Amino acid sequence: MIGSGTLPDTTEQADLREMVREIIERGAPPQRVRELDDANAFDLELYRALGEAGLIGLDAQADGTSGADPRLQIIVLEELAAGPTSMAVCLVVQYMGVGLLTEYGSDQQRSTVLAPLLDGSERVAFALTEPDGGTDVARVMRTRAKKSDGGRWVLNGAKTWISGPQHARNLIVLARTSTPESSPIDGITMFVVPTDTPGITVRELDTFAIHSLDTCEVTFDNVEIDASAVLGHVDQGFRQVLGTLNGERLNAAAAALGIARGALEAAVDYGRQRQVFGRPVGSFQAGQHRLVDGAIAIESARALMLQAAEATATGKRADILSAMAKVAASDAAVAVTDAGMRLMGGSGFSKEYPMERLFRDARLYTFAPLTNEMLRNHIGEKYLGLPRSF
Ligand SMILES: Cc1cc2nc3c(=O)[nH]c(=O)nc-3n(C[C@H](O)[C@H](O)[C@H](O)COP(=O)(O)OP(=O)(O)OC[C@H]3O[C@@H](n4cnc5c(N)ncnc54)[C@H](O)[C@@H]3O)c2cc1C
């Protein structure tokens, strides 16, 4: 690996990184990643291997007594994103599910939904974004759940751009349950709903990238769910999610960082081998400097990410650092994949090399789970102390 020796991993972290690399080497070599990307297919075998190795649960417990260590999650995500990137995106969602169910799940939800999630036998999808908007989703949320006379809930509405619902056993769905005057983020409830509940329709969307994980529209047509499907507290769902978004941003940073590193490795490899004017193309200063800038962007993002992970793990304030890490890592991923495409000339366009896929996949984390513009708004307000810009 380029930059070897610069990683400040502890022994436990280094062992974990090595384990993930071995699983990828065995189960997801570049040719397989490419074939599955071309076929828009999910790598169930790889997911099972990750589950069997304990990498979905890490140290989270199904009884909710302990959550997962963010310092370990980011290692798994970085390594996956550098290779089978779509699997990293899948795990960002699974880790979000683990966090929400560990913190808010009832005993029943922990045994029926969290336990099979931790051992990798089932997956969840997280459905928040709606057709009318993702950034301002609380204000525009049209998905509603109404309580029937029998105490059951009836869910109607639509979610869009949802990762992985085709193969997920359960959906975590946010729906408006009341319209209090206090704030649009109040009056929203989280539900855990099996994807095969009558009235749920999942339609795959044709997207630009992350082809080995389905991105879908999910519609709810008079979907009847039990009162026990509420995750956490009625009307408090959005606030509960806000509490876990810090972890999701941190994990998005790790995935973006992995994409950037994977692209840098591919570019350096190509730059050493390809001869132009009788010299390796990586020896020309114009291209080499772009890659060096990429390396600096990666290590700067890593420093922010590690600080954010440490703050999260030790219960310190982490929202600003996580936001900075996510912006820095996703900007690095865009810059490095661009530099890689330039260095590789026509080969960058070819599917023979991973660069064109990484170039596409890198775009996701510029706007998901929250756009970099909104994260900059957050940093402007919370770090700089400037008036709210939106
Ligand atoms: C492949 C993929 C997977 C996804 N997976 C999931 C998932 O699993 N679950 C889920 O719930 N969602 C998911 N999403 C949705 C994603 O979180 C949203 O796309 C994202 O939050 C942005 O919302 P939007 O697309 O509606 O953009 P909009 O909210 O319409 O924003 C459009 C533009 O306006 C800008 N903008 C908006 N408000 C402001 C402001 N105040 N200041 C400055 N700029 C602003 C935004 O930054 C952006 O550039 C996924 C999306 C994709 C494409």
Side-chain angles (χ1 to χ4, degrees), residues 16 55-58 60 67-78 91 94-96 98-99 247 250-251 254:
L16 175 67
L55 300 178
I56 316 296
L58 291 169
D69 187 335
R71 293 167 295 199
L72 301 182
Q73 288 184 333
I74 58 174
I75 289 175
V76 179
L77 293 170
E78 180 191 334
L91 257 61
Q94 305 317 307
Y95 288 167
M96 172 107 181
V98 168
L250 176 61
N251 286 342

PDB file of all heavy atoms in Angstrom, residues 16 55-58 60 67-78 91 94-96 98-99 247 250-251 254:
ATOM      1  N   LEU A  16      -7.287  -5.821  12.479  1.00  0.00           N
ATOM      2  CA  LEU A  16      -8.596  -5.716  11.822  1.00  0.00           C
ATOM      3  C   LEU A  16      -8.417  -5.323  10.348  1.00  0.00           C
ATOM      4  O   LEU A  16      -9.029  -5.919   9.453  1.00  0.00           O
ATOM      5  CB  LEU A  16      -9.457  -4.676  12.557  1.00  0.00           C
ATOM      6  CG  LEU A  16     -10.809  -4.379  11.918  1.00  0.00           C
ATOM      7  CD1 LEU A  16     -11.732  -5.596  12.006  1.00  0.00           C
ATOM      8  CD2 LEU A  16     -11.476  -3.176  12.605  1.00  0.00           C
ATOM      9  N   LEU A  55     -17.656  -8.564  11.188  1.00  0.00           N
ATOM     10  CA  LEU A  55     -17.345  -7.179  10.833  1.00  0.00           C
ATOM     11  C   LEU A  55     -18.576  -6.279  10.703  1.00  0.00           C
ATOM     12  O   LEU A  55     -18.440  -5.068  10.513  1.00  0.00           O
ATOM     13  CB  LEU A  55     -16.531  -7.150   9.532  1.00  0.00           C
ATOM     14  CG  LEU A  55     -15.199  -7.910   9.625  1.00  0.00           C
ATOM     15  CD1 LEU A  55     -14.461  -7.876   8.300  1.00  0.00           C
ATOM     16  CD2 LEU A  55     -14.319  -7.329  10.731  1.00  0.00           C
ATOM     17  N   ILE A  56     -19.763  -6.862  10.782  1.00  0.00           N
ATOM     18  CA  ILE A  56     -20.960  -6.022  10.769  1.00  0.00           C
ATOM     19  C   ILE A  56     -21.239  -5.570  12.207  1.00  0.00           C
ATOM     20  O   ILE A  56     -21.489  -4.406  12.480  1.00  0.00           O
ATOM     21  CB  ILE A  56     -22.206  -6.767  10.215  1.00  0.00           C
ATOM     22  CG1 ILE A  56     -21.867  -7.579   8.961  1.00  0.00           C
ATOM     23  CG2 ILE A  56     -23.368  -5.796   9.975  1.00  0.00           C
ATOM     24  CD1 ILE A  56     -21.429  -6.805   7.769  1.00  0.00           C
ATOM     25  N   GLY A  57     -21.162  -6.535  13.118  1.00  0.00           N
ATOM     26  CA  GLY A  57     -21.428  -6.205  14.522  1.00  0.00           C
ATOM     27  C   GLY A  57     -20.255  -5.536  15.202  1.00  0.00           C
ATOM     28  O   GLY A  57     -20.420  -4.708  16.070  1.00  0.00           O
ATOM     29  N   LEU A  58     -19.031  -5.930  14.795  1.00  0.00           N
ATOM     30  CA  LEU A  58     -17.819  -5.546  15.528  1.00  0.00           C
ATOM     31  C   LEU A  58     -18.078  -5.810  17.006  1.00  0.00           C
ATOM     32  O   LEU A  58     -18.474  -6.910  17.346  1.00  0.00           O
ATOM     33  CB  LEU A  58     -17.414  -4.110  15.182  1.00  0.00           C
ATOM     34  CG  LEU A  58     -16.898  -3.958  13.727  1.00  0.00           C
ATOM     35  CD1 LEU A  58     -16.745  -2.516  13.305  1.00  0.00           C
ATOM     36  CD2 LEU A  58     -15.576  -4.710  13.529  1.00  0.00           C
ATOM     37  N   ALA A  60     -20.501  -4.507  18.924  1.00  0.00           N
ATOM     38  CA  ALA A  60     -21.860  -4.175  19.385  1.00  0.00           C
ATOM     39  C   ALA A  60     -22.550  -5.442  19.890  1.00  0.00           C
ATOM     40  O   ALA A  60     -22.329  -6.530  19.352  1.00  0.00           O
ATOM     41  CB  ALA A  60     -22.668  -3.571  18.244  1.00  0.00           C
ATOM     42  N   GLY A  67     -22.343  -0.539  22.190  1.00  0.00           N
ATOM     43  CA  GLY A  67     -22.447  -0.204  20.772  1.00  0.00           C
ATOM     44  C   GLY A  67     -21.133  -0.530  20.082  1.00  0.00           C
ATOM     45  O   GLY A  67     -20.172  -0.979  20.706  1.00  0.00           O
ATOM     46  N   ALA A  68     -21.099  -0.278  18.765  1.00  0.00           N
ATOM     47  CA  ALA A  68     -19.878  -0.573  18.019  1.00  0.00           C
ATOM     48  C   ALA A  68     -18.866   0.551  18.221  1.00  0.00           C
ATOM     49  O   ALA A  68     -19.239   1.701  18.440  1.00  0.00           O
ATOM     50  CB  ALA A  68     -20.209  -0.727  16.546  1.00  0.00           C
ATOM     51  N   ASP A  69     -17.584   0.216  18.116  1.00  0.00           N
ATOM     52  CA  ASP A  69     -16.529   1.213  18.271  1.00  0.00           C
ATOM     53  C   ASP A  69     -16.321   1.919  16.917  1.00  0.00           C
ATOM     54  O   ASP A  69     -15.941   1.278  15.937  1.00  0.00           O
ATOM     55  CB  ASP A  69     -15.237   0.502  18.714  1.00  0.00           C
ATOM     56  CG  ASP A  69     -14.126   1.493  19.063  1.00  0.00           C
ATOM     57  OD1 ASP A  69     -14.146   2.626  18.551  1.00  0.00           O
ATOM     58  OD2 ASP A  69     -13.236   1.113  19.844  1.00  0.00           O
ATOM     59  N   PRO A  70     -16.552   3.239  16.864  1.00  0.00           N
ATOM     60  CA  PRO A  70     -16.401   3.944  15.585  1.00  0.00           C
ATOM     61  C   PRO A  70     -14.979   3.858  15.028  1.00  0.00           C
ATOM     62  O   PRO A  70     -14.782   3.907  13.818  1.00  0.00           O
ATOM     63  CB  PRO A  70     -16.763   5.395  15.920  1.00  0.00           C
ATOM     64  CG  PRO A  70     -16.655   5.504  17.406  1.00  0.00           C
ATOM     65  CD  PRO A  70     -16.943   4.146  17.953  1.00  0.00           C
ATOM     66  N   ARG A  71     -13.988   3.678  15.905  1.00  0.00           N
ATOM     67  CA  ARG A  71     -12.592   3.602  15.438  1.00  0.00           C
ATOM     68  C   ARG A  71     -12.340   2.320  14.660  1.00  0.00           C
ATOM     69  O   ARG A  71     -11.410   2.245  13.863  1.00  0.00           O
ATOM     70  CB  ARG A  71     -11.648   3.687  16.649  1.00  0.00           C
ATOM     71  CG  ARG A  71     -11.703   5.060  17.313  1.00  0.00           C
ATOM     72  CD  ARG A  71     -11.031   5.064  18.659  1.00  0.00           C
ATOM     73  NE  ARG A  71     -11.744   4.207  19.604  1.00  0.00           N
ATOM     74  CZ  ARG A  71     -11.618   4.277  20.931  1.00  0.00           C
ATOM     75  NH1 ARG A  71     -10.812   5.170  21.465  1.00  0.00           N
ATOM     76  NH2 ARG A  71     -12.285   3.460  21.728  1.00  0.00           N
ATOM     77  N   LEU A  72     -13.197   1.303  14.923  1.00  0.00           N
ATOM     78  CA  LEU A  72     -13.070   0.050  14.162  1.00  0.00           C
ATOM     79  C   LEU A  72     -13.917   0.110  12.889  1.00  0.00           C
ATOM     80  O   LEU A  72     -13.512  -0.350  11.825  1.00  0.00           O
ATOM     81  CB  LEU A  72     -13.491  -1.140  15.039  1.00  0.00           C
ATOM     82  CG  LEU A  72     -12.686  -1.316  16.339  1.00  0.00           C
ATOM     83  CD1 LEU A  72     -13.169  -2.553  17.098  1.00  0.00           C
ATOM     84  CD2 LEU A  72     -11.193  -1.419  16.061  1.00  0.00           C
ATOM     85  N   GLN A  73     -15.109   0.694  13.018  1.00  0.00           N
ATOM     86  CA  GLN A  73     -15.987   0.782  11.831  1.00  0.00           C
ATOM     87  C   GLN A  73     -15.282   1.515  10.685  1.00  0.00           C
ATOM     88  O   GLN A  73     -15.368   1.111   9.529  1.00  0.00           O
ATOM     89  CB  GLN A  73     -17.284   1.510  12.195  1.00  0.00           C
ATOM     90  CG  GLN A  73     -18.218   0.682  13.080  1.00  0.00           C
ATOM     91  CD  GLN A  73     -19.540   1.376  13.341  1.00  0.00           C
ATOM     92  OE1 GLN A  73     -19.638   2.610  13.316  1.00  0.00           O
ATOM     93  NE2 GLN A  73     -20.570   0.598  13.612  1.00  0.00           N
ATOM     94  N   ILE A  74     -14.567   2.596  11.008  1.00  0.00           N
ATOM     95  CA  ILE A  74     -13.958   3.383   9.909  1.00  0.00           C
ATOM     96  C   ILE A  74     -12.859   2.593   9.196  1.00  0.00           C
ATOM     97  O   ILE A  74     -12.624   2.808   8.006  1.00  0.00           O
ATOM     98  CB  ILE A  74     -13.434   4.765  10.385  1.00  0.00           C
ATOM     99  CG1 ILE A  74     -12.400   4.624  11.501  1.00  0.00           C
ATOM    100  CG2 ILE A  74     -14.583   5.677  10.774  1.00  0.00           C
ATOM    101  CD1 ILE A  74     -11.744   5.965  11.904  1.00  0.00           C
ATOM    102  N   ILE A  75     -12.226   1.669   9.895  1.00  0.00           N
ATOM    103  CA  ILE A  75     -11.184   0.853   9.245  1.00  0.00           C
ATOM    104  C   ILE A  75     -11.826  -0.098   8.238  1.00  0.00           C
ATOM    105  O   ILE A  75     -11.388  -0.213   7.092  1.00  0.00           O
ATOM    106  CB  ILE A  75     -10.378   0.079  10.313  1.00  0.00           C
ATOM    107  CG1 ILE A  75      -9.500   1.077  11.078  1.00  0.00           C
ATOM    108  CG2 ILE A  75      -9.542  -1.034   9.683  1.00  0.00           C
ATOM    109  CD1 ILE A  75      -8.740   0.495  12.239  1.00  0.00           C
ATOM    110  N   VAL A  76     -12.901  -0.764   8.660  1.00  0.00           N
ATOM    111  CA  VAL A  76     -13.591  -1.697   7.758  1.00  0.00           C
ATOM    112  C   VAL A  76     -14.079  -0.938   6.511  1.00  0.00           C
ATOM    113  O   VAL A  76     -13.899  -1.384   5.372  1.00  0.00           O
ATOM    114  CB  VAL A  76     -14.790  -2.372   8.469  1.00  0.00           C
ATOM    115  CG1 VAL A  76     -15.514  -3.316   7.526  1.00  0.00           C
ATOM    116  CG2 VAL A  76     -14.322  -3.118   9.726  1.00  0.00           C
ATOM    117  N   LEU A  77     -14.656   0.235   6.751  1.00  0.00           N
ATOM    118  CA  LEU A  77     -15.238   1.006   5.639  1.00  0.00           C
ATOM    119  C   LEU A  77     -14.161   1.511   4.680  1.00  0.00           C
ATOM    120  O   LEU A  77     -14.334   1.455   3.464  1.00  0.00           O
ATOM    121  CB  LEU A  77     -16.049   2.180   6.185  1.00  0.00           C
ATOM    122  CG  LEU A  77     -17.314   1.756   6.944  1.00  0.00           C
ATOM    123  CD1 LEU A  77     -17.931   2.949   7.659  1.00  0.00           C
ATOM    124  CD2 LEU A  77     -18.323   1.123   5.994  1.00  0.00           C
ATOM    125  N   GLU A  78     -13.057   1.995   5.219  1.00  0.00           N
ATOM    126  CA  GLU A  78     -11.999   2.510   4.337  1.00  0.00           C
ATOM    127  C   GLU A  78     -11.475   1.398   3.432  1.00  0.00           C
ATOM    128  O   GLU A  78     -11.328   1.586   2.217  1.00  0.00           O
ATOM    129  CB  GLU A  78     -10.851   3.109   5.166  1.00  0.00           C
ATOM    130  CG  GLU A  78      -9.748   3.655   4.259  1.00  0.00           C
ATOM    131  CD  GLU A  78      -8.470   4.035   4.994  1.00  0.00           C
ATOM    132  OE1 GLU A  78      -8.518   4.363   6.190  1.00  0.00           O
ATOM    133  OE2 GLU A  78      -7.405   4.008   4.339  1.00  0.00           O
ATOM    134  N   LEU A  91     -22.400  -1.097   4.076  1.00  0.00           N
ATOM    135  CA  LEU A  91     -22.071  -1.162   5.503  1.00  0.00           C
ATOM    136  C   LEU A  91     -22.300   0.166   6.231  1.00  0.00           C
ATOM    137  O   LEU A  91     -22.615   0.168   7.422  1.00  0.00           O
ATOM    138  CB  LEU A  91     -20.629  -1.641   5.708  1.00  0.00           C
ATOM    139  CG  LEU A  91     -20.559  -3.110   6.151  1.00  0.00           C
ATOM    140  CD1 LEU A  91     -21.153  -4.029   5.113  1.00  0.00           C
ATOM    141  CD2 LEU A  91     -19.148  -3.519   6.490  1.00  0.00           C
ATOM    142  N   GLN A  94     -25.715  -0.318   7.204  1.00  0.00           N
ATOM    143  CA  GLN A  94     -25.882  -1.331   8.268  1.00  0.00           C
ATOM    144  C   GLN A  94     -25.407  -0.781   9.607  1.00  0.00           C
ATOM    145  O   GLN A  94     -26.031  -1.012  10.644  1.00  0.00           O
ATOM    146  CB  GLN A  94     -25.121  -2.631   7.923  1.00  0.00           C
ATOM    147  CG  GLN A  94     -25.481  -3.251   6.577  1.00  0.00           C
ATOM    148  CD  GLN A  94     -26.969  -3.239   6.297  1.00  0.00           C
ATOM    149  OE1 GLN A  94     -27.776  -3.710   7.114  1.00  0.00           O
ATOM    150  NE2 GLN A  94     -27.369  -2.688   5.161  1.00  0.00           N
ATOM    151  N   TYR A  95     -24.303  -0.052   9.590  1.00  0.00           N
ATOM    152  CA  TYR A  95     -23.782   0.514  10.838  1.00  0.00           C
ATOM    153  C   TYR A  95     -24.756   1.547  11.413  1.00  0.00           C
ATOM    154  O   TYR A  95     -24.886   1.687  12.618  1.00  0.00           O
ATOM    155  CB  TYR A  95     -22.407   1.144  10.611  1.00  0.00           C
ATOM    156  CG  TYR A  95     -21.275   0.150  10.381  1.00  0.00           C
ATOM    157  CD1 TYR A  95     -20.037   0.568   9.889  1.00  0.00           C
ATOM    158  CD2 TYR A  95     -21.422  -1.202  10.676  1.00  0.00           C
ATOM    159  CE1 TYR A  95     -18.988  -0.321   9.695  1.00  0.00           C
ATOM    160  CE2 TYR A  95     -20.385  -2.107  10.476  1.00  0.00           C
ATOM    161  CZ  TYR A  95     -19.174  -1.661   9.979  1.00  0.00           C
ATOM    162  OH  TYR A  95     -18.134  -2.553   9.788  1.00  0.00           O
ATOM    163  N   MET A  96     -25.437   2.261  10.528  1.00  0.00           N
ATOM    164  CA  MET A  96     -26.454   3.217  10.995  1.00  0.00           C
ATOM    165  C   MET A  96     -27.588   2.437  11.681  1.00  0.00           C
ATOM    166  O   MET A  96     -28.067   2.811  12.747  1.00  0.00           O
ATOM    167  CB  MET A  96     -26.997   3.974   9.772  1.00  0.00           C
ATOM    168  CG  MET A  96     -28.170   4.855  10.036  1.00  0.00           C
ATOM    169  SD  MET A  96     -27.631   6.547   9.989  1.00  0.00           S
ATOM    170  CE  MET A  96     -29.133   7.415  10.348  1.00  0.00           C
ATOM    171  N   VAL A  98     -27.355  -0.524  13.045  1.00  0.00           N
ATOM    172  CA  VAL A  98     -26.831  -1.064  14.311  1.00  0.00           C
ATOM    173  C   VAL A  98     -26.913   0.024  15.389  1.00  0.00           C
ATOM    174  O   VAL A  98     -27.370  -0.218  16.513  1.00  0.00           O
ATOM    175  CB  VAL A  98     -25.363  -1.550  14.137  1.00  0.00           C
ATOM    176  CG1 VAL A  98     -24.718  -1.825  15.494  1.00  0.00           C
ATOM    177  CG2 VAL A  98     -25.307  -2.804  13.261  1.00  0.00           C
ATOM    178  N   GLY A  99     -26.499   1.240  15.025  1.00  0.00           N
ATOM    179  CA  GLY A  99     -26.504   2.340  16.004  1.00  0.00           C
ATOM    180  C   GLY A  99     -27.915   2.653  16.493  1.00  0.00           C
ATOM    181  O   GLY A  99     -28.157   2.760  17.705  1.00  0.00           O
ATOM    182  N   GLY A 247     -22.338   9.812  13.611  1.00  0.00           N
ATOM    183  CA  GLY A 247     -21.685   8.551  13.264  1.00  0.00           C
ATOM    184  C   GLY A 247     -21.792   8.258  11.777  1.00  0.00           C
ATOM    185  O   GLY A 247     -20.849   7.754  11.158  1.00  0.00           O
ATOM    186  N   LEU A 250     -19.258  10.405   9.945  1.00  0.00           N
ATOM    187  CA  LEU A 250     -17.915   9.863  10.158  1.00  0.00           C
ATOM    188  C   LEU A 250     -17.711   8.646   9.258  1.00  0.00           C
ATOM    189  O   LEU A 250     -16.666   8.507   8.600  1.00  0.00           O
ATOM    190  CB  LEU A 250     -17.785   9.477  11.643  1.00  0.00           C
ATOM    191  CG  LEU A 250     -16.493   8.813  12.076  1.00  0.00           C
ATOM    192  CD1 LEU A 250     -15.307   9.725  11.824  1.00  0.00           C
ATOM    193  CD2 LEU A 250     -16.573   8.464  13.558  1.00  0.00           C
ATOM    194  N   ASN A 251     -18.696   7.778   9.201  1.00  0.00           N
ATOM    195  CA  ASN A 251     -18.570   6.587   8.380  1.00  0.00           C
ATOM    196  C   ASN A 251     -18.561   6.929   6.883  1.00  0.00           C
ATOM    197  O   ASN A 251     -17.865   6.290   6.094  1.00  0.00           O
ATOM    198  CB  ASN A 251     -19.681   5.597   8.723  1.00  0.00           C
ATOM    199  CG  ASN A 251     -19.407   4.915  10.060  1.00  0.00           C
ATOM    200  OD1 ASN A 251     -18.270   4.933  10.541  1.00  0.00           O
ATOM    201  ND2 ASN A 251     -20.423   4.323  10.667  1.00  0.00           N
ATOM    202  N   ALA A 254     -15.098   7.886   6.107  1.00  0.00           N
ATOM    203  CA  ALA A 254     -14.214   6.729   5.950  1.00  0.00           C
ATOM    204  C   ALA A 254     -14.382   6.091   4.572  1.00  0.00           C
ATOM    205  O   ALA A 254     -13.392   5.714   3.923  1.00  0.00           O
ATOM    206  CB  ALA A 254     -14.511   5.703   7.045  1.00  0.00           C
TER     207      ALA A 254
END
